[in-house]
Amino acid sequence: MNPEYYLILAAALFCIGAVGVLVRRNAIVVFMCVELMLNAGNLTLVTFARTNGSVDGQVMAFFVMVVAAAEVVVGLAIVMAIYRSRRSASVDDANLLKC
């Protein structure tokens, strides 16, 4: 299969994730859209690695997955703490760190 198809798919996934981050107000949906963008980046890394015949992109994709998993754990803990105190998961209501 042609690598351009994978890159087009990755660009489409990244655009969908970017629109979701910019448009949606629910923190859980924003996290899912960020994960979609990270996976689009992983698809691009693996596509270029396969095209060039090296494993560097696959190793980078693995590290991105590890960072994404850590981001989800910390982010969901923060969202749960905000939800318990405010009874809302909206990004607009999370102004606890404002002075």
Side-chain angles (χ1 to χ4, degrees), residues 45-59:
L45 287 170
V46 171
T47 300
F48 282 124
R50 185 174 171 99
T51 303
N52 293 331
S54 67
V55 294
D56 296 340
Q58 294 173 2
V59 171

Side-chain angles (χ1 to χ4, degrees), residues 33-86:
C33 292
V34 168
E35 291 296 322
L36 196 61
M37 291 192 306
L38 289 173
N39 284 327
N42 284 341
L43 182 60
T44 304
L45 287 170
V46 171
T47 300
F48 282 124
R50 185 174 171 99
T51 303
N52 293 331
S54 67
V55 294
D56 296 340
Q58 294 173 2
V59 171
M60 283 296 296
F62 179 73
F63 282 120
V64 169
M65 285 190 281
V66 170
V67 170
E71 174 249 337
V72 166
V73 169
V74 173
L76 285 178
I78 292 171
V79 168
M80 288 297 295
I82 291 173
Y83 182 78
R84 285 183 180 176
S85 67
R86 301 273 175 141

Side-chain angles (χ1 to χ4, degrees), residues 4-27:
E4 286 89 20
Y5 297 137
Y6 293 111
L7 295 176
I8 291 170
L9 177 64
L13 289 175
F14 190 86
C15 289
I16 291 169
V19 168
V21 167
L22 293 175
V23 172
R24 298 300 301 253
R25 298 288 97 200
N26 190 340

